Amino acid sequence: MSYVSSRLSAIRPSASMVASQAAKALRATGVDVIDLGLGEPDFPTPDHIIDAAFRAARAGETLYTAPAGTPALRAAIAEKFRRENGLSFGPDDVTVANGAKQIIFNALMATLEPGDEAILPAPYFVSYPEMVKLLGGTPVTVECPAETGFRLTPELLEAAITPRTKWLFLNMPGNPSGAVYSRAQLEALGAVLARHPSVLVLSDEIYEHILFDGREFVSFADACPELVERSLVVNGVSKSYAMTGWRVGYAAGPAPLIKAMNVVQSQSVTSVCSIAQAAALAALEGPQDHVARFRAAFEARRDLVVAGVAKIGGLSLPAPDGAFYAYIGCGALIGRKTPQGTVLADDAAVADYLLKHGRVSSVPGVAYGLSPYFRISTATGEETLTEALARIDAAVGALE
């Protein structure tokens, strides 16, 4: 007897979760492993956010909420978009879900027909293609190499659009590359999309506040206001506010799309935890000084890792524009032999070697649709990152 549907059989588990679990398994045997597989800030959630959740629980705010989220939180989200992004949304244009991933899942569940295509600029977040496939769509990978700054170009976009294209995914700053789009670059993509009125745009902006070198964030909907009626702007509190475990994501878009997504939510999880929503409200409306403090720490860590990788022969790392990852080129390692005589055939083998020989957990580039690379999270302390770089250096140096 099989317990797995044909729909699920083609879906892979999250590669970053797999890498982290492999590190934990080694740790359980007594091996000292540095886990750089998962991307989550190592900072504690700010006190005022935790206090707000505590007060909400004490006040009896422990019942179901509307599937779309509490009115207060949706109003705060709409105000956030107005204040920070120059976007005008009403309450019916906003929805809340259990993390940005569920926002994306709900959107795809609400819109995809079998065979609909979703354009995924690679490298992409590992869950994008799996969610598209799970919900009956066809992921279309468009490789965006380092020569393009890991960014989608108008020419690449035009070539990828077909009559079956339903969605274009954008992620900025990007996971895993850290790539950021300028206003002019987004406008150029918008000019292509203007010629294809049936294509929807999912702009995943979860790393919005984690930008480096003085860069200014520009939301896709702000850069291309003429496309706002077919754009879904996705965000959340996980990364900027160190709230990954609270599981609160949100989005704004055309009211009919948001309404359909709320139907999906009502028949799946009902609503987001009421206490977590109170915490998210405090995050958006409360002091924002810690956001800048987190960003400065992430930039310092970026600089440390870029400098460290530059000293390791065979590896390359263009300085990420934002987010908290390093997408490290390892093409020069392919074909080399480990001390045990195993030939490194691809970036998956490189990541496995770094885990078992270097005792550093990473995620291979194949999971992000662009090889040969591996991704490490830089969302941890400088001491840990320094030790991880030393281990990677020693492991690479041991190759024949």
Side-chain angles (χ1 to χ4, degrees), residues 69-345:
T70 65
L73 180 54
R74 283 184 287 142
I77 292 167
E79 171 58 22
K80 177 264 181 236
F81 280 123
R82 184 202 66 77
R83 179 180 70 246
E84 297 185 351
N85 306 114
L87 301 174
S88 179
F89 292 111
D92 291 341
D93 304 323
V94 173
T95 189
V96 181
N98 292 284
K101 284 176 73 172
Q102 195 194 10
I103 287 284
I104 297 168
F105 191 95
N106 289 352
L108 296 177
M109 174 67 83
T111 59
L112 283 182
E113 299 289 353
D116 282 349
E117 296 174 350
I119 296 173
L120 309 179
Y124 46 63
F125 174 49
V126 294
S127 294
Y128 291 163
E130 306 310 314
M131 286 194 280
V132 170
K133 289 186 291 185
L134 183 60
L135 296 172
T138 301
V140 176
T141 298
V142 178
E143 293 190 358
C144 303
E147 291 74 21
T148 72
F150 300 116
R151 300 180 189 91
L152 182 67
T153 65
E155 296 76 17
L156 289 171
L157 174 58
E158 184 71 64
I161 294 175
T162 76
R164 298 306 304 266
T165 303
K166 186 71 162 187
W167 285 98
L168 164 66
F169 279 53
L170 293 175
N171 179 207
M172 50 192 184
N175 173 7
S177 69
V180 175
Y181 289 82
S182 68
R183 182 178 294 273
Q185 288 165 338
L186 292 175
E187 289 173 345
L189 295 177
V192 174
L193 294 165
R195 299 193 291 271
H196 301 277
S198 63
V199 179
L200 303 174
V201 180
L202 191 151
S203 185
D204 183 349
E205 303 177 2
I206 191 72
Y207 296 96
E208 170 188 5
H209 291 120
I210 307 174
L211 290 172
F212 307 141
D213 306 316
R215 287 180 173 82
E216 176 187 0
F217 181 79
V218 181
S219 174
F220 177 82
D222 180 38
C224 303
E226 71 280 6
L227 301 178
V228 71
E229 286 303 313
R230 48 187 171 112
S231 299
L232 183 69
V233 184
V234 179
N235 211 313
V237 297
S238 291
K239 312 299 184 179
S240 298
Y241 298 95
M243 294 177 66
T244 53
W246 295 82
R247 307 311 303 133
V248 181
Y250 57 81
L257 172 59
I258 297 297
K259 182 178 180 180
M261 292 166 61
N262 291 337
V263 171
V264 174
Q265 178 126 310
S266 72
Q267 295 294 359
S268 54
V269 298
T270 300
S271 62
V272 176
C273 167
S274 58
I275 306 307
Q277 290 191 64
L281 177 63
L284 294 175
E285 293 189 335
Q288 302 295 304
D289 55 299
H290 58 279
V291 176
R293 179 166 54 84
F294 293 169
R295 187 213 59 77
F298 291 136
E299 183 165 5
R301 296 168 181 182
R302 186 277 310 257
D303 293 343
L304 183 155
V305 171
V306 169
V309 170
K311 298 175 183 177
I312 304 175
L315 300 182
S316 62
L317 175 60
D321 299 334
F324 41 64
Y325 304 102
Y327 202 51
I328 300 172
C330 59
L333 305 187
I334 307 303
R336 294 177 64 178
K337 287 185 180 180
T338 71
Q340 294 74 34
T342 302
V343 175
L344 298 179

Side-chain angles (χ1 to χ4, degrees), residues 335-378:
R336 294 177 64 178
K337 287 185 180 180
T338 71
Q340 294 74 34
T342 302
V343 175
L344 298 179
D346 50 31
D347 54 27
V350 171
D352 184 66
Y353 171 69
L354 292 178
L355 174 63
K356 294 176 179 175
H357 187 91
R359 294 174 291 121
V360 176
S361 173
S362 63
V363 186
V366 65
Y368 304 98
L370 188 68
S371 295
Y373 295 86
F374 64 90
R375 189 202 79 170
I376 61 172
S377 168
T378 58

Side-chain angles (χ1 to χ4, degrees), residues 34-92:
I34 296 176
D35 184 3
L36 301 181
L38 282 183
E40 57 181 349
D42 62 335
F43 303 110
T45 301
D47 288 343
H48 72 278
I49 297 173
I50 295 173
D51 291 343
F54 181 82
R55 288 194 301 272
R58 284 295 189 189
E61 297 178 24
T62 55
L63 303 177
Y64 294 129
T65 76
T70 65
L73 180 54
R74 283 184 287 142
I77 292 167
E79 171 58 22
K80 177 264 181 236
F81 280 123
R82 184 202 66 77
R83 179 180 70 246
E84 297 185 351
N85 306 114
L87 301 174
S88 179
F89 292 111
D92 291 341

